[in-house]
């Protein structure tokens, strides 16, 4: 949906009933005191409660410095190390407790205690030092769901290097773009990994990224995942590769002194899709981010040290950073980490794991739930799992999917929270605290403690609270988990998130309003229901993709003169990309061209971004000034009314397209 014609979305869902959290949940929850909201209203000092959950080398002098908006600072003057907080400080009380229980796709399992994690993080930190990584260097990680990933992240944190994790499903080109943007000359990759029983040669992507002209990788550290079925990699010696195992062998038992990082020193970059051009590197600070991830893990996820917690996301996205690695480990819990897909070797895989490790808290996405629903509840039958707490993230959850999750996964006896947040926000911003609010299917719920959302009209006027009207979701007050900037591009940071609804001339932080890009409704009960993106960003199976990124990938195909990509609603995947294509003169639409389009998207971004349909049309709907009206295409894709088309240069185009879509779609 375009921003110009935003709020066509209105509250469409019928009223939902509420569900009470069961007393046995409430009795044991971390957050049972409703005063928490009040405490955090004491801005900014309320947030120091989260910082108190951490171990600091130097305590902060000032909770918040808003003197140079929107470049806010948190826990000013404090210093700490994230790996100490996630590992070292747990040794005294729980060195033999599992920190991570890793389950390989083929059924191998590895339990990594806090003591093991300490040893491995130190040894890897020594490896990074050995190859010349220094404080503040950006280290790019392109790793699948293997222990090497969190170990390398924490090793970077230990020596004060900034990690930039690129989801393993991203292509070589996408990896290369991120290496270049971050000026990163160290890459950490792996020989390969398994997906549905098949060995994927992951190093091939590293090879290609390194060979890309613009990248300048000096060292590529390569972990090994191969086993008897596959040979290891032979290195020639004259490439930038170093086998991690070779250097690790020399670093057995190494201790690397953790570097005290200023609270404002960056901890990591996470690239995410925006409305324009290339993905942007969201830069997260050490102190505020870690405090916010730990605080929300405690109160929203209700994590305790004695729990077995399982977030079935990939660490390559923000959810895995905050809620597999940093939050849960900072709290000293036991986390399950699963390498594979939910349907391998069969569709009961997750429930079998949940039973085996007696998982207490399970975190997944609406996309996954819709898939479980489609597969049928028979796949859960016979597995003896017992979740206390269930959570979702990534997209709005339809009440039917919520209900299914509640009935079949939660056994009508678990609490569910729907957590709304973004890569940029570092942690949850809108979600109920599980023991304090009633659940309402389809609604994310109330703002987290200390968070001040609001809804604005397109012209920037504020919509009255609890009016039930849809508007642009904004956040009116800073919070510690928020991104610091877009890496290397402060102007873009201001343009993307602040310019639209802020008084950018003001140096009073109260005049600066964070734009989320989402639309939402604030109900009379005070619950927010998030409707989805209002900008040119789409959410495909919970993965965030920019229209522009997709379009520029499609434009690489020789036969194509012009293309536009829009999101079509899909029962299973949430949204899927539809590609509308105008071919060059003399070229015929064919399956071959379709394949080229799909291949180009896989090549530029990754297979997870694959378009659903490639539709050949004779013209795209354009305004008189030549701007493509994607909204019209989106309405065609979703079989909705066309809306206002009076600004179209050629008003007959939508009908032509409809006809062409029917014949070739
Ligand atoms: C969407 C993922 C509705 C939203 C943590 C947001 C949601 C984007 C929810 C961020 C939710 C995330 N309900 N929509 N509970 N959670 N979204 O950066 O559109 O990958 O702006 O962060 O996902 O996606 P991102």
């Amino acid at each position: 949906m375009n921003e110009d014609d935003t709020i066509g979305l209105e509250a469409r869902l019928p009223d939902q009933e509420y569900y009470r959290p069961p007393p046995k949940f409430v009795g044991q929850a971390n957050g049972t005191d409703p005063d928490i909201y009040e405490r955090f209203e004491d801005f900014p000092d309320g947030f120091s409660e989260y910082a108190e959950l951490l171990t600091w080398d130097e305590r902060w002098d000032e909770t918040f410095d808003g003197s140079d908006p929107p470049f806010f600072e948190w826990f000013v003057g404090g210093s700490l190390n994230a790996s100490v907080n996630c590992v070292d400080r747990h040794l005294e009380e729980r060195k033999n407790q599992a920190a991570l229980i890793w389950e390989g796709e083929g059924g191998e399992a590895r339990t990594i205690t806090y003591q093991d994690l300490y040893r491995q993080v130190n040894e890897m930190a020594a490896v990074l030092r050995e190859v010349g990584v220094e404080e503040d260097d950006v280290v790019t990680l392109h790793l699948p769901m293997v222990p090497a990933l969190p170990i390398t992240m924490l090793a970077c944190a230990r020596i004060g290097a900034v990690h930039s994790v690129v989801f393993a499903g991203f292509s070589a080109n996408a990896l290369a773009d991120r290496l270049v943007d971050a000026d990163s000359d160290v890459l950490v990759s792996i020989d390969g990994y398994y997906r549905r029983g098949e060995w994927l040669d992951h190093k091939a992507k590293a090879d290609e990224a390194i060979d890309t002209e613009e990248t300048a990788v000096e060292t590529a550290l390569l972990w090994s995942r191969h086993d008897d079925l596959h040979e290891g990699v032979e290195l020639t010696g004259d490439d930038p590769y170093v086998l991690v195992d070779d250097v690790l062998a020399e670093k057995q038992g190494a201790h690397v002194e953790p570097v005290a990082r200023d609270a404002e020193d960056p901890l990591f970059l996470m690239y995410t899709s925006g409305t324009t051009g290339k993905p942007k590197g969201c830069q997260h600070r050490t102190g505020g981010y870690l405090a916010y991830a730990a605080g929300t893990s405690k109160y929203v996820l209700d994590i305790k040290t004695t729990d077995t917690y399982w977030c079935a996301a990939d660490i390559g996205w923000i959810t895995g950073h905050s809620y597999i690695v940093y939050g849960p480990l900072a709290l000293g819990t036991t986390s399950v980490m699963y390498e594979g897909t939910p349907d391998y070797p069969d569709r009961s895989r997750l429930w079998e794991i949940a039973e085996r490790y007696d998982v207490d808290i399970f975190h997944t996405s609406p996309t996954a739930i819709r898939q479980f629903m489609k597969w049928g509840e028979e796949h859960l039958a016979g597995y003896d799992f017992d979740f206390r707490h269930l959570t979702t993230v990534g997209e709005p959850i339809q009440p039917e999917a919520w209900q299914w999750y509640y009935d079949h996964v939660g056994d009508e006896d678990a609490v569910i929270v729907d957590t709304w947040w973004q890569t940029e926000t570092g942690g949850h911003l809108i979600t109920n605290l599980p023991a304090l609010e009633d659940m309402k299917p389809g609604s994310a719920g109330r703002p987290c403690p200390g968070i001040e959302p609001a809804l604005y009209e397109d012209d920037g006027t504020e919509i009255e609270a609890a009016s039930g009207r849809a508007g642009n979701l904004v956040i009116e007050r800073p919070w510690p988990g928020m991104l610091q900037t877009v890496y290397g591009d402060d102007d873009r940071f201001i343009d993307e998130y602040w310019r639209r609804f802020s008084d950018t001339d003001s140096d009073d932080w109260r005049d600066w309003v964070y734009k989320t890009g989402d639309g939402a409704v604030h109900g009379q009960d005070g619950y927010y229901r998030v409707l989805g993106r209002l900008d040119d960003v789409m959410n495909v199976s919970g993965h965030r993709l920019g229209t522009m990124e997709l379009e520029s990938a499609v434009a690489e195909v020789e036969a194509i003169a012009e293309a536009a990509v829009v999101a079509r609603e899909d029962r299973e995947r949430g949204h899927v990309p539809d590609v509308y294509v105008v071919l060059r003169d003399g070229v015929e639409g064919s399956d071959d061209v379709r394949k080229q389009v799909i291949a180009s998207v896989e090549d530029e971004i990754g297979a997870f971004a694959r378009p659903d349909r490639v539709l050949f049309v004779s013209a795209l709907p354009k305004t008189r000034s030549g701007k493509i009206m994607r909204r019209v295409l989106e309405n065609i894709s979703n079989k909705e009314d066309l809306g206002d088309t009076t600004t179209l240069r050629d008003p007959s185009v939508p009908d032509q397209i409809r006809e062409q879509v029917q014949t070739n779609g």
Side-chain angles (χ1 to χ4, degrees), residues 14 16 18 56 157 210 219 227 303 310-311 319 332 346 348 354 366 439 535 652 662:
Q16 293 293 325
Y18 298 87
W56 294 78
I210 290 166
T219 309
D227 51 24
I303 286 178
W310 183 10
C311 169
T319 299
D346 60 49
S348 300
M439 304 170 243
D535 52 8
S652 70
Q662 259 161 21

Side-chain angles (χ1 to χ4, degrees), residues 421-481:
W421 58 297
Q422 310 179 298
T423 302
E424 293 84 347
T425 71
H428 310 136
L429 291 195
I430 299 180
T431 177
N432 284 334
L433 297 187
L436 290 176
E437 313 291 346
D438 290 346
M439 304 170 243
K440 184 181 178 192
S443 280
R446 286 188 202 284
C448 291
I451 302 301
E452 204 162 84
L455 299 176
Y456 282 19
E457 303 279 10
D458 284 348
D459 67 6
T461 48
E462 188 164 347
I463 296 174
E464 206 188 321
S467 70
R469 290 215 353 259
N472 294 278
L473 178 62
V474 301
I475 313 293
E476 292 187 315
R477 200 166 63 185
W479 67 99

Side-chain angles (χ1 to χ4, degrees), residues 270-273 282 317-319 323 366 392-397 417-425 427-428 430-431 442-444 473 514 516-519 529-535 537-539 542-545:
M270 175 98 246
Y271 279 84
T272 191
S273 297
C282 294
W317 305 105
I318 191 71
T319 299
Y323 299 120
T392 71
V393 65
E395 313 149 69
I397 180 162
V417 293
D418 171 8
T419 62
W420 176 87
W421 58 297
Q422 310 179 298
T423 302
E424 293 84 347
T425 71
H428 310 136
I430 299 180
T431 177
S443 280
L473 178 62
Y514 172 84
T516 70
D518 279 344
R529 190 163 74 227
V530 177
L531 301 168
R533 301 291 308 196
L534 295 174
D535 52 8
V537 173
M538 64 180 91
N539 207 320
H543 299 319
R544 186 166 150 182
L545 289 167

Side-chain angles (χ1 to χ4, degrees), residues 4 208 221 244 292 427 539 551 554 597:
D4 327 336
E208 206 187 311
L221 285 162
V244 173
Y292 200 74
N539 207 320
E551 287 175 2
V554 173
V597 168

